[in-house]
Amino acid sequence: MEKNYKINIVEDVAGVSVVQGFSAGAAACDIRNKNDFNRLDTAVIVSDVLATAAGVFTTNDVKAAPVLVDIANLERSKKVKAIVANSGNANACTGDRGMDDARNTCSYLAEKLGVEKNQILVCSTGRIGEFMPMEKLKKGIDEAVSGMSKTEDKAIAAANAILTSDTRSKTVSVDVEFGGKKVKIAGMAKGAGMIEPNMATMLAFIVSDAKISQSLLKECLKFAANKSFNRITVDGDMSTNDTVLCLCNGTSGVEISEDDADSIMAFREGLLEASRVLARKIVGDGEKITKVVEVNVKGARTEEQAEKICRAIGNSLLVKSSWFGEDPNWGRITDSAGYARTGLVLEKIDLDYDGIPVLKSGQPIAENKELWKQAVSKKTFSINLHLNLGTASESILASDLTDGYVNFNKGE
Amino acid sequence: MEKNYKINIVEDVAGVSVVQGFSAGAAACDIRNKNDFNRLDTAVIVSDVLATAAGVFTTNDVKAAPVLVDIANLERSKKVKAIVANSGNANACTGDRGMDDARNTCSYLAEKLGVEKNQILVCSTGRIGEFMPMEKLKKGIDEAVSGMSKTEDKAIAAANAILTSDTRSKTVSVDVEFGGKKVKIAGMAKGAGMIEPNMATMLAFIVSDAKISQSLLKECLKFAANKSFNRITVDGDMSTNDTVLCLCNGTSGVEISEDDADSIMAFREGLLEASRVLARKIVGDGEKITKVVEVNVKGARTEEQAEKICRAIGNSLLVKSSWFGEDPNWGRITDSAGYARTGLVLEKIDLDYDGIPVLKSGQPIAENKELWKQAVSKKTFSINLHLNLGTASESILASDLTDGYVNFNKGE
């Protein structure tokens, strides 16, 4: 397909303040109940005008209260005014009280902003199974709203306020040009633990000045999330709270619509690029990881086969441990590829590390051990597995598994 | 169903020498190429008479050469004379040469024992992707055969020779009585790493003096393996070499046959009990583990649903890390149960640790945190999740995940 658009990605950027008409605010209200009023834990993103909104949510059977509330709100309202998010408490598995808390959070902010309660989206991330300290959160919302602005520092503060075990904030902006028109897309995200394909404890908030319908935005966001946030794995654990939200306020005047295929293509790719940058930042900041590995499976019969094999490799504890040890242990790669049980044929497999051949037609080739070792000793490298069965391909980004991860997550 | 049999399990036992008519031998021939001629690495189990044989093998798309050879041999021969097994080299992903090596191993032992090459079964476990040092292995076979006997010490030596990262040998014997008749079943196994449901780097060799047809033995073995070896998980990695073999020499004169339902029931349960003991020993000796946890899912719509949830919990890195830390983190349990995506309903879930209630109808109950902590601080405990959706149930045995596991497996 011809490419009638131009995309410019800026990685080191303040985040949502890049797009006209969006304000951000943040507060530290000790949601973690640790008497720490320095750590930011509450963020708001507010649109001057009501903005078209769409979301992609965890597919976990167990969905946290804010996820359920957002799904309902997006069904009722095509447009929303603001997002409120907190870190430190996931408000998940908190029963009826948790649902009330999530709804009350929306009502509280709605009243402050003079909109309907269904026009607010809410996100939480943190520990599961504890009730939200609502009085604290309300104070945090008061503070975040009263201090909110369109300045970079507030956008950065908001990006910091949603972090949990992340070590750094994650932002991006993307300029999309097509047919002499221009739209901006900008976003912020958090990740760190429980990161697995199909949404993981990750939150991503993306804003744009494009003019678009909810149904089309939903479609574009689903496409972008599927090829980015759903193609990363840190630990194979999928969270109860994963959420990607996108708000489009239309201030650019540029319409993305079914009548203009180029506009859809351009916007969708822009969203995808923004999502990819955020997804890569999430993996790169996975809990105590030391490597980011791109797993590419090519020559599969179907994309489904390629994806299954990508995930089996990227989630194998033995493979991930060997990456941590910089051990070019290809046996573990073929083993895990095999237990995806997709009908691969060992005798047809070609494998390389960063272009350095490892297996040819399933047979170990002349020893390249020194070169393999060099490849897997880099902080990022690629594993390329060619099945030679067809033409489909898929990729995921995966981290290694470290002793640090286990100790970090053993809790208490 | 009425239980017309009696089963007696003996755990601390020499292994295959318990059953009349089987000899064992072992040798140390430095298969690991470490100039270590003290570590046993080659084992033989030889039947005086040709014995009915059946096997259950890894379902990995990538099957090691010995697995492929055994599957072929069992198709050609209903009866076999012996098993030869080595540790230190898996002979997996070794191409045509690996197939030749596995076949030649059978021929070599067959010639020594005066039988057809198809009447020998071969198993290997160890590192993937390296060629078998055949001259060493042949010397090992020479030594194992010339020294083989029906004594306990040789059975113990054979059980030790198949170990890799295991810290202790694993044996069992079971006496089965029904209708005044008696058969004996005895076995040995190895496990340690790459242990996942559906066969994992585990080998188990079971012998019996029962008289049985190959087709019936196959059926009974499949049943037993499915409810034992396929219900354990250490790291979720399934190996290329997993094999369970069973040899029945008929010396008891007791026939297990379709004409006598009681005989099948009794023998099948005996096999299952023997397999369960070996499976439990495999998990309990998982690489660097500190806990063995029984995950029970009850009240499921189907056994499939229950099993999927068991595996999601038992393979969750976050759950396993929290077990290591003795952290009663029930949020991670409901989270992982949810991402099995079987359609569970949080509001219906009851959860307890070793009988101590944690959730009732999906709502956190009055704090039992001290009691929860006590439960998960034990070396073995159970997680009981009642879905309240139906009547099906399943269980698996899972280990925790430790920093030691990661460091042990980072390689080189």
Side-chain angles (χ1 to χ4, degrees):
Chain A
M1 208 176 292
E2 216 183 328
K3 200 181 132 198
N4 292 319
Y5 55 86
K6 219 176 81 187
I7 286 174
N8 183 38
I9 301 169
V10 190
E11 296 213 16
D12 292 314
V13 73
V16 296
S17 65
V18 170
V19 179
Q20 257 199 330
F22 286 100
S23 301
C29 62
D30 189 40
I31 283 178
R32 289 168 177 82
N33 289 322
K34 286 187 174 169
N35 269 314
D36 178 358
F37 291 88
N38 292 311
R39 180 169 181 174
L40 294 169
D41 52 17
T42 309
V44 294
I45 300 171
V46 181
S47 178
D48 292 350
V49 298
L50 287 176
T52 304
V56 177
F57 301 95
T58 181
T59 53
N60 197 313
D61 282 345
V62 179
K63 292 177 176 64
V67 169
L68 295 170
V69 168
D70 287 353
I71 291 171
N73 285 357
L74 286 171
E75 270 168 23
R76 290 194 204 102
S77 312
K78 290 202 162 104
K79 300 202 168 193
V80 309
K81 177 73 177 171
I83 297 168
V84 51
N86 74 275
S87 61
N89 184 318
N91 192 11
C93 304
T94 41
D96 300 337
R97 180 166 154 192
M99 287 299 290
D100 286 344
D101 288 345
R103 287 192 199 102
N104 288 336
T105 304
C106 292
S107 308
Y108 188 77
L109 181 56
E111 199 167 317
K112 284 185 103 66
L113 300 176
V115 296
E116 300 294 314
K117 61 183 181 189
N118 299 332
Q119 292 170 329
I120 303 292
L121 299 175
V122 57
C123 290
S124 299
T125 175
R127 196 164 164 113
I128 296 176
E130 276 166 24
F131 293 121
M132 186 67 75
M134 284 301 287
E135 290 314 308
K136 288 183 172 181
L137 180 59
K138 284 179 183 171
K139 273 187 198 154
I141 293 172
D142 292 345
E143 192 185 320
V145 170
S146 66
M148 75 182 183
S149 82
K150 296 192 169 64
T151 56
E152 285 195 2
D153 61 317
K154 288 294 176 183
I156 291 169
N160 277 306
I162 61 171
L163 305 182
T164 52
S165 48
D166 308 65
T167 65
R168 49 187 179 270
S169 62
K170 297 160 186 72
T171 56
V172 68
S173 91
V174 167
D175 296 318
V176 184
E177 279 184 59
F178 64 98
K181 288 172 270 188
K182 222 175 179 176
V183 297
K184 274 189 175 296
I185 296 169
M188 60 192 244
K190 63 85 47 181
M194 252 196 212
I195 297 301
E196 146 82 10
N198 293 310
M199 305 281 97
T201 301
M202 49 142 299
L203 301 178
F205 305 140
I206 300 172
V207 299
S208 172
D209 55 10
K211 197 175 166 191
I212 188 169
S213 70
Q214 190 187 41
S215 60
L216 189 53
L217 178 59
K218 200 171 164 180
E219 216 174 274
C220 292
L221 188 64
K222 207 174 156 185
F223 170 86
N226 191 37
K227 295 275 182 196
S228 57
F229 301 115
N230 288 350
R231 288 289 179 283
I232 56 178
T233 177
V234 171
D235 56 14
D237 278 277
M238 183 205 299
S239 128
T240 49
N241 290 60
D242 307 324
T243 302
V244 180
L245 298 176
C246 185
L247 268 54
C248 294
N249 66 5
T251 54
S252 68
V254 177
E255 196 158 356
I256 312 300
S257 84
E258 263 101 3
D259 302 334
D260 179 359
D262 279 356
S263 74
I264 297 181
M265 192 68 70
F267 181 72
R268 210 174 69 161
E269 287 301 314
L271 260 189
L272 175 57
E273 289 305 328
S275 303
R276 272 199 183 131
V277 170
L278 294 174
R280 182 175 278 272
K281 286 185 177 189
I282 287 171
V283 181
D285 194 25
E287 278 165 358
K288 310 294 175 190
I289 70 145
T290 69
K291 307 271 177 201
V292 174
V293 182
E294 189 174 300
V295 179
N296 300 306
V297 172
K298 292 168 197 170
R301 286 193 197 91
T302 60
E303 280 187 10
E304 195 198 353
Q305 178 182 36
E307 190 188 329
K308 270 192 187 166
I309 294 174
C310 282
R311 291 193 196 284
I313 295 171
N315 283 325
S316 159
L317 268 62
L318 286 170
V319 169
K320 290 165 98 78
S321 296
S322 69
W323 288 342
F324 174 44
E326 304 187 341
D327 176 8
N329 192 325
W330 59 262
R332 292 185 182 170
I333 293 173
T334 52
D335 175 65
S336 56
Y339 68 62
R341 286 185 283 177
T342 62
L344 68 76
V345 183
L346 180 63
E347 291 69 29
K348 295 194 175 195
I349 284 176
D350 299 331
L351 177 70
D352 71 72
Y353 296 147
D354 257 357
I356 301 151
V358 176
L359 290 180
K360 179 73 192 160
S361 303
Q363 308 261 359
I365 56 167
E367 286 279 320
N368 267 338
K369 220 165 177 185
E370 268 316 299
L371 290 172
W372 300 345
K373 179 82 187 164
Q374 278 171 33
V376 303
S377 297
K378 291 189 284 182
K379 204 172 149 29
T380 64
F381 58 89
S382 66
I383 300 277
N384 303 293
L385 184 63
H386 205 302
L387 305 183
N388 291 303
L389 295 173
T391 57
S393 61
E394 267 297 349
S395 296
I396 64 165
L397 279 182
S399 69
D400 59 346
L401 174 67
T402 70
D403 50 0
Y405 173 93
V406 176
N407 284 319
F408 187 77
N409 281 302
K410 72 183 183 185
E412 307 230 289
Chain B
M1 206 176 296
E2 216 184 329
K3 202 182 131 199
N4 292 317
Y5 54 86
K6 219 176 83 187
I7 286 173
N8 183 39
I9 301 168
V10 190
E11 296 214 16
D12 292 314
V13 73
V16 296
S17 66
V18 170
V19 179
Q20 255 198 333
F22 287 100
S23 301
C29 63
D30 189 40
I31 283 177
R32 289 165 176 85
N33 289 322
K34 286 186 174 168
N35 269 314
D36 177 359
F37 292 88
N38 291 313
R39 181 169 181 174
L40 294 169
D41 52 18
T42 309
V44 294
I45 300 172
V46 181
S47 177
D48 291 349
V49 296
L50 287 175
T52 303
V56 177
F57 301 95
T58 181
T59 54
N60 197 313
D61 282 345
V62 179
K63 291 176 176 64
V67 169
L68 295 170
V69 168
D70 287 352
I71 291 172
N73 284 357
L74 285 171
E75 270 169 21
R76 289 194 204 100
S77 312
K78 291 202 162 105
K79 300 202 168 192
V80 309
K81 177 72 178 172
I83 298 168
V84 51
N86 74 275
S87 60
N89 184 316
N91 192 11
C93 304
T94 41
D96 300 336
R97 181 166 151 191
M99 287 299 289
D100 286 343
D101 287 345
R103 286 192 199 102
N104 288 336
T105 304
C106 292
S107 306
Y108 188 77
L109 181 56
E111 199 166 318
K112 285 184 100 67
L113 300 177
V115 295
E116 299 296 313
K117 62 184 179 188
N118 300 331
Q119 292 170 329
I120 304 291
L121 299 174
V122 56
C123 290
S124 298
T125 175
R127 194 162 167 115
I128 296 177
E130 276 167 25
F131 294 122
M132 186 67 74
M134 284 301 286
E135 290 314 307
K136 286 182 172 181
L137 180 58
K138 284 179 184 172
K139 271 186 199 153
I141 293 172
D142 291 345
E143 193 185 319
V145 170
S146 68
M148 75 182 184
S149 80
K150 296 190 169 66
T151 56
E152 285 194 0
D153 61 316
K154 287 294 175 181
I156 291 168
N160 277 306
I162 60 172
L163 305 182
T164 53
S165 47
D166 308 63
T167 66
R168 50 188 179 269
S169 61
K170 298 159 185 71
T171 55
V172 67
S173 90
V174 166
D175 296 317
V176 184
E177 277 184 60
F178 64 98
K181 287 172 269 186
K182 223 175 179 176
V183 296
K184 274 187 175 296
I185 296 170
M188 60 193 243
K190 64 84 51 180
M194 253 195 210
I195 297 301
E196 145 83 10
N198 292 313
M199 303 281 97
T201 303
M202 50 139 301
L203 301 179
F205 306 140
I206 301 172
V207 298
S208 171
D209 55 11
K211 197 174 168 190
I212 188 169
S213 71
Q214 190 187 41
S215 59
L216 189 52
L217 177 59
K218 200 171 165 180
E219 216 175 274
C220 292
L221 187 64
K222 208 173 155 185
F223 170 86
N226 191 37
K227 295 275 181 196
S228 57
F229 301 116
N230 287 350
R231 288 291 179 279
I232 56 177
T233 178
V234 171
D235 54 16
D237 278 278
M238 183 205 300
S239 128
T240 49
N241 290 61
D242 307 324
T243 302
V244 180
L245 298 176
C246 185
L247 269 53
C248 294
N249 66 7
T251 53
S252 68
V254 177
E255 197 158 354
I256 311 301
S257 87
E258 264 101 1
D259 304 334
D260 178 359
D262 279 355
S263 75
I264 297 181
M265 193 67 70
F267 180 71
R268 211 173 69 162
E269 288 300 314
L271 259 189
L272 174 56
E273 289 306 327
S275 302
R276 273 198 182 130
V277 170
L278 293 174
R280 182 174 279 271
K281 287 187 175 188
I282 286 171
V283 182
D285 193 26
E287 279 166 356
K288 310 294 174 188
I289 70 146
T290 69
K291 307 270 178 202
V292 174
V293 182
E294 189 173 300
V295 179
N296 300 306
V297 172
K298 293 168 197 172
R301 286 192 198 91
T302 60
E303 280 187 9
E304 196 197 352
Q305 176 181 37
E307 189 187 329
K308 270 192 187 165
I309 294 174
C310 281
R311 291 192 195 285
I313 296 171
N315 282 326
S316 160
L317 267 61
L318 286 170
V319 169
K320 290 165 97 79
S321 296
S322 69
W323 288 343
F324 174 44
E326 304 187 342
D327 176 8
N329 193 324
W330 59 262
R332 293 185 181 170
I333 293 172
T334 52
D335 175 67
S336 56
Y339 68 62
R341 286 185 282 177
T342 61
L344 68 77
V345 183
L346 179 62
E347 291 69 30
K348 296 195 174 196
I349 285 176
D350 300 331
L351 177 70
D352 71 72
Y353 297 147
D354 256 356
I356 301 150
V358 176
L359 290 180
K360 179 75 191 161
S361 303
Q363 310 260 0
I365 54 167
E367 286 279 318
N368 267 337
K369 221 167 177 183
E370 267 316 299
L371 290 174
W372 300 345
K373 178 83 187 163
Q374 278 172 31
V376 302
S377 297
K378 291 189 283 181
K379 206 174 149 27
T380 63
F381 58 90
S382 66
I383 300 277
N384 303 293
L385 184 64
H386 205 301
L387 305 183
N388 289 303
L389 295 173
T391 57
S393 62
E394 266 299 348
S395 297
I396 65 164
L397 279 183
S399 69
D400 59 347
L401 175 66
T402 70
D403 50 0
Y405 173 93
V406 176
N407 284 319
F408 186 77
N409 282 301
K410 72 183 185 186
E412 307 232 288

